Amino acid sequence: AWLQAARGARVGALERGGCGRSSNRLARFADGTRACVRYGINPEQIQGEALSYYLACLLGLQRHVPPLALSRVEARGAQWAQVQEELRAAHWTEGSVVSLTSWLPNLTDVVVPAPWRSEDGQLRPLRAAGGELANRSREELVDLVQWTDLILFDYLTANFDRLVSNLFSLQWDPRVMQRAPSNLHRGPGGALVFLDNEAGLVHGYRVAGMWDKYNEPLLQSVCVFRERTARRVLELHRGQDAAARLLRLYQHHEPRFPELAELAHPHAQLLQRRLDFLAKHILHCKAKYGRRPGT
């Protein structure tokens, strides 16, 4: 419903701040609702953000990623006609494709849960066996699998601008893991919110070799997964058709899909390889701890 409304809504004002990079804007629609408008330095950032959103949907993680619609900046078009001066001030190129994401109020910062942190700031393996989780409350366990969802999502998209960025910074800041990662917040209902996924699946894949030395150990630091998420991963592994399914979902729900390039063939192959690696890790956890996938 939000996506349908956003695509047809008239922008009544564009404001600075509250939406990340200085080139982005907070849009106020005529009905009073708000959205973050992200303007990419190049089109692949918007492409990566859109693909990351639909991958989240494919994995059943859409509650963690704000809904996203694409729009074309046309100063005289119906959607942007009331904000022509603001568009000129933003220096956005006419005809550029931007993303609209639902603006979420009352978000708070979060830090990595204590069970993952050691005294030296490194992350340590979190396993299902050995009684490590025996004394955790239901609320703590629910929170831990949200972090697992984040870790596997960032591994699949090769996103380096959240926990991986903190791990990289450990070399000169030993207390960085005690501070909030960028682009990660908690909503009023307790759900983690994964913001700003524009590096995912495109730019992140191009530089994956630089960051996988952090992304892979981070993934391997957990053996506790949400059952539903693990089931989706194993299904995509067995089908060997993840990129095709992602493309179908994207085409079906995004009318402006043709205006941004689809996932390049080498990147489509890399997505499947990363899903295969993740599936093998989940099955390894199952074999090691004698539990079914997802527990």
Side-chain angles (χ1 to χ4, degrees), residues 110-112 117-123 162-182:
V110 290
V111 296
V112 177
R117 296 199 311 268
S118 58
E119 291 183 2
D120 62 2
Q122 299 289 339
L123 295 185
R162 260 189 292 261
L163 288 183
V164 165
S165 178
N166 279 28
L167 289 173
F168 175 74
S169 299
L170 272 173
Q171 57 191 306
W172 56 74
D173 184 358
R175 300 178 65 84
V176 69
M177 297 307 294
Q178 299 176 30
R179 290 194 285 276
S182 59

Side-chain angles (χ1 to χ4, degrees), residues 97-111:
V97 176
V98 297
S99 67
L100 306 174
T101 57
S102 177
W103 188 82
L104 303 176
N106 303 319
L107 299 179
T108 55
D109 289 341
V110 290
V111 296

Side-chain angles (χ1 to χ4, degrees), residues 177-197:
M177 297 307 294
Q178 299 176 30
R179 290 194 285 276
S182 59
N183 304 319
L184 179 64
H185 300 277
R186 192 182 299 279
L192 294 181
V193 181
F194 315 160
L195 294 177
D196 195 358
N197 298 294

Side-chain angles (χ1 to χ4, degrees), residues 38-52 54 68-73 95-100 198 202 247 250-251 254-264:
R38 286 186 165 82
Y39 178 84
I41 297 173
N42 52 57
E44 75 174 20
Q45 291 183 315
I46 304 302
Q47 177 196 11
E49 189 180 28
L51 287 167
S52 294
Y54 283 104
L68 177 147
L70 299 178
S71 177
R72 178 176 289 277
V73 176
S96 295
V97 176
V98 297
S99 67
L100 306 174
E198 61 187 19
V202 186
L247 181 61
Y250 186 22
Q251 286 178 309
E254 179 46 65
R256 293 194 178 275
F257 149 80
E259 299 177 42
L260 293 176
E262 61 186 69
L263 197 62

